[in-house]
Amino acid sequence: MPTLSIHFDPAVLAHLIKAGGDDTVHVTLSLGGGDRIGTPAAPVVPHGPLADLMKAGLLAEGTVLAFHQRRAGRQGRAVVTSDGQLIVDGQAAVFPSPSKAAEAITGNVINGWTLWQLPDGRTLDDLRRDLDQGRHGG
């Protein structure tokens, strides 16, 4: 059986997040590459601040990032898109950087690199340091 690969445009995911519990969302699937069967869609290339982490294999599409600020009573959740952006729960927009995504939740200018955490507890800043050490043989 062939492998089925489905890629959603970030705008589609943002629309799904914005939809209410009683809303019906219709999604139409079509073959990539126009009307020609068997022509794969062009691969999505990550860009922006998270691109280097993704290209190095340190951060993957679909990774769930989260933060919890106990004193401020705030928490957030975001998912990494294939092109290196962030879809934040409760937000219609797709965010190009960790800091912009964090600002959308907190309402403050904030360093998203140190705020967002992977499921294992590491921050995006930890990943960035790992990448930098790898480049410099450290």
Side-chain angles (χ1 to χ4, degrees):
M1 173 165 226
T3 301
L4 175 64
S5 177
I6 299 174
H7 297 275
F8 289 100
D9 182 273
V12 172
L13 295 175
H15 178 79
L16 290 172
I17 289 169
K18 194 167 83 172
D22 295 331
D23 291 345
T24 299
V25 177
H26 297 278
V27 177
T28 302
L29 300 177
S30 62
L31 294 173
D35 294 332
R36 291 179 284 162
I37 295 174
T39 304
V44 176
V45 178
H47 59 277
L50 298 177
D52 287 344
L53 296 177
M54 294 180 77
K55 290 175 185 174
L58 296 172
L59 185 65
E61 170 187 2
T63 300
V64 176
L65 304 173
F67 73 83
H68 183 76
Q69 296 176 311
R70 285 183 183 88
R71 287 187 4 192
R74 290 187 292 234
Q75 59 186 16
R77 182 180 172 278
V79 178
V80 179
T81 67
S82 61
D83 63 351
Q85 298 189 68
L86 294 172
I87 297 173
V88 177
D89 283 357
Q91 301 289 321
V94 178
F95 297 92
S97 74
S99 296
K100 292 291 182 190
E103 184 179 342
I105 295 172
T106 65
N108 301 316
V109 174
I110 192 162
N111 184 348
W113 290 94
T114 58
L115 185 69
W116 290 108
Q117 294 182 344
L118 284 81
D120 65 8
R122 292 180 298 161
T123 66
L124 291 173
D125 198 47
D126 292 335
L127 295 184
R128 199 163 51 171
R129 274 197 302 272
D130 289 349
L131 178 65
D132 194 43
Q133 286 176 354
R135 287 182 178 161
H136 296 103

